[in-house]
Amino acid sequence: MEFYSRRARSITPYTAGEQPKSGIYVKLNTNENPYPPSPRVAEAIASFPCENLRRYPNPDADDLRDAIARVEGVSRENVFVSNGSDEALALAFAAFFDDERAACFADVTYSFYEVFAAMFGVKTHVVPLQEDFALDLAAMREAECGGYFIANPNAPTGIVVPAGEMEQFIASVPQKLVVLDEAYTDFSGETCAPLIQKYPNLLVIKTFSKSHSLAGIRCGYAVGAPALIGGLMRMKNSFNSYPVDAVCAAACAASLADTEYHDRTVRLVVEERERLRRALEGLGMTVLPSGSNFLFAGRAAVPAGEIYARLKEEGVLVRYWNRPRISDFCRITVGTPQDDDILLEKLKKILS
Ligand SMILES: *Cc1c(COP(=O)(O)O)cnc(C)c1O
């Protein structure tokens, strides 16, 4: 502690979901994909020429940028690649906000935003969600700030702002930057990424961690106007100029190429999400509408904190926050039908 800077002493780090070492848990707490990555990822890694690891990788991961640009229908200059999308989000705080130019976000959203703001000394403006957990875009529009961080679908609620409504919002704040965190967008089927061609104030951030089943590889990206990508590059090159390793870049490009596998596994997760929703509602739980790979469920016969603790005793991990407004909900990742059946069986016992 005595060696810590004032910043290190004052910051409250983000707490990630538990990653238990033993295999006894049905793990539905960190929104990982229940299916393995595309077989093409394994092929790309197995055939990677290891002698190349002697060299530094391309600093901007240009081959992967090109692969992403093709999928998103944009150009290389519109793409920035990062070590997990968390890194792109962090660099966006550093590049576009400061102690005078505030970042605005919801009271209930990805809890990393407030940590990044503290890390980079960014002023914040927090706007409460509405009573039904919908984003209050009207209040956000009026907020005195330099821009926004909006998770869409939101986390941990899963609620989606439809693309049309989001476009109206982006168009209504041309002087402010809108950073859309679309970590779960493949499960809602609605992305705003194509809008970056039309709105120079829009930056869309995506990840390989969720729909591509590659949380372990740590890769994400941002798409936006070249000026915004340039801002992220300035920060990257002032911090870690080679954030994406060569094996990672090859694996992610291979995953992008297998659209058939991606679409199929996304469809399986979405179908299972709706089955799980009906089952949870059947157990008397309130389940928020979700466009993601998780459900926010609670307000049941037993308090959510107790449900979380008793599920854990039974070997099933879900995520719980003892925080205002959301303390009577658990966030449950959609698993395989088999895993979800185990969850449902335990829940039935706990709630009866
Ligand atoms: C999972 C998640 C991310 C992505 O994290 P990675 O660093 O890409 O693994 C970003 N935003 C939200 C809201 C998330 O839930």
Side-chain angles (χ1 to χ4, degrees):
M1 244 342 216
E2 58 180 312
F3 294 115
Y4 288 11
S5 65
R6 260 177 297 142
R7 173 163 292 155
R9 266 182 274 139
S10 66
I11 207 159
T12 311
Y14 175 75
T15 344
E18 299 154 85
Q19 294 287 2
K21 289 216 173 56
S22 83
I24 63 160
Y25 288 102
V26 170
K27 194 171 172 306
L28 304 174
N29 67 331
T30 51
N31 299 344
E32 289 147 333
N33 199 304
Y35 299 105
S38 156
R40 295 217 206 154
V41 171
E43 286 162 26
I45 293 173
S47 65
F48 186 87
C50 275
E51 69 272 14
N52 289 3
L53 291 179
R54 189 168 63 82
R55 306 250 189 227
Y56 281 103
N58 177 286
D60 303 334
D62 281 334
D63 288 348
L64 179 55
R65 287 173 84 196
D66 289 343
I68 292 164
R70 272 193 297 279
V71 169
E72 298 290 356
V74 298
S75 330
R76 178 193 287 186
E77 292 65 37
N78 297 115
V79 181
F80 177 81
V81 184
S82 57
N83 186 268
S85 64
D86 286 341
E87 187 181 63
L89 289 164
L91 296 176
F93 271 90
F96 308 119
F97 299 89
D98 54 40
D99 56 350
E100 287 173 5
R101 200 180 300 171
C104 174
F105 44 84
D107 61 339
V108 177
T109 189
Y110 190 35
S111 45
F112 229 139
Y113 302 156
E114 62 187 13
V115 180
F116 289 141
M119 178 74 172
F120 296 111
V122 167
K123 188 170 149 191
T124 61
H125 187 121
V126 174
V127 173
L129 296 182
Q130 300 178 73
E131 205 51 50
D132 61 355
F133 295 104
L135 218 54
D136 193 344
L137 287 176
M140 291 178 85
R141 188 177 291 125
E142 301 308 318
E144 215 175 287
C145 64
Y148 305 90
F149 284 81
I150 301 176
N152 193 35
N154 198 9
T157 63
I159 292 176
V160 179
V161 177
E165 214 175 300
M166 193 57 88
E167 178 170 4
Q168 282 180 2
F169 176 76
I170 297 159
S172 75
V173 289
Q175 305 305 324
K176 297 172 176 177
L177 176 64
V178 180
V179 181
L180 282 188
D181 181 352
E182 289 198 347
Y184 300 102
T185 192
D186 291 337
F187 303 105
S188 75
E190 287 213 57
T191 174
C192 287
L195 298 178
I196 63 122
Q197 310 274 23
K198 207 168 151 190
Y199 299 100
N201 62 324
L202 173 63
L203 187 71
V204 176
I205 297 189
K206 298 195 184 186
T207 178
F208 287 92
S209 296
K210 313 282 166 49
S211 68
H212 282 273
S213 307
L214 288 169
I217 218 159
R218 311 305 307 130
C219 194
Y221 61 90
V223 292
L228 297 178
I229 300 306
L232 295 174
M233 288 287 187
R234 285 176 73 87
M235 293 300 111
K236 169 185 85 84
N237 291 328
S238 310
F239 177 65
N240 177 7
S241 30
Y242 304 95
V244 176
D245 69 77
V247 182
C248 165
C252 289
S255 187
L256 283 175
D258 199 351
T259 52
E260 192 272 331
Y261 181 90
H262 182 255
D263 293 350
R264 182 152 41 90
T265 48
V266 164
R267 209 175 321 118
L268 285 174
V269 170
V270 169
E271 283 167 11
E272 175 60 8
R273 177 183 75 208
E274 295 314 311
R275 182 190 78 100
L276 182 59
R277 160 197 309 291
R278 288 189 295 273
L280 293 170
E281 286 172 348
L283 292 174
M285 298 184 92
T286 297
V287 187
L288 300 190
S290 169
S292 62
N293 67 340
F294 59 83
L295 293 170
F296 207 45
R299 293 183 180 153
V302 175
E306 201 178 318
I307 293 177
Y308 159 78
R310 289 185 55 192
L311 280 174
K312 190 172 173 182
E313 281 168 24
E314 298 272 347
V316 177
L317 265 188
V318 298
R319 193 91 199 260
Y320 173 73
W321 291 269
N322 191 5
R323 281 193 177 204
R325 301 195 73 185
I326 59 167
S327 60
D328 202 19
F329 285 85
C330 290
R331 192 194 67 190
I332 304 170
T333 304
V334 177
T336 59
Q338 293 80 358
D339 279 354
D340 294 344
D341 280 342
I342 296 172
L343 163 85
L344 289 166
E345 179 201 312
K346 310 286 185 198
L347 267 178
K348 202 167 165 183
K349 207 169 79 181
I350 293 165
L351 293 174
S352 69

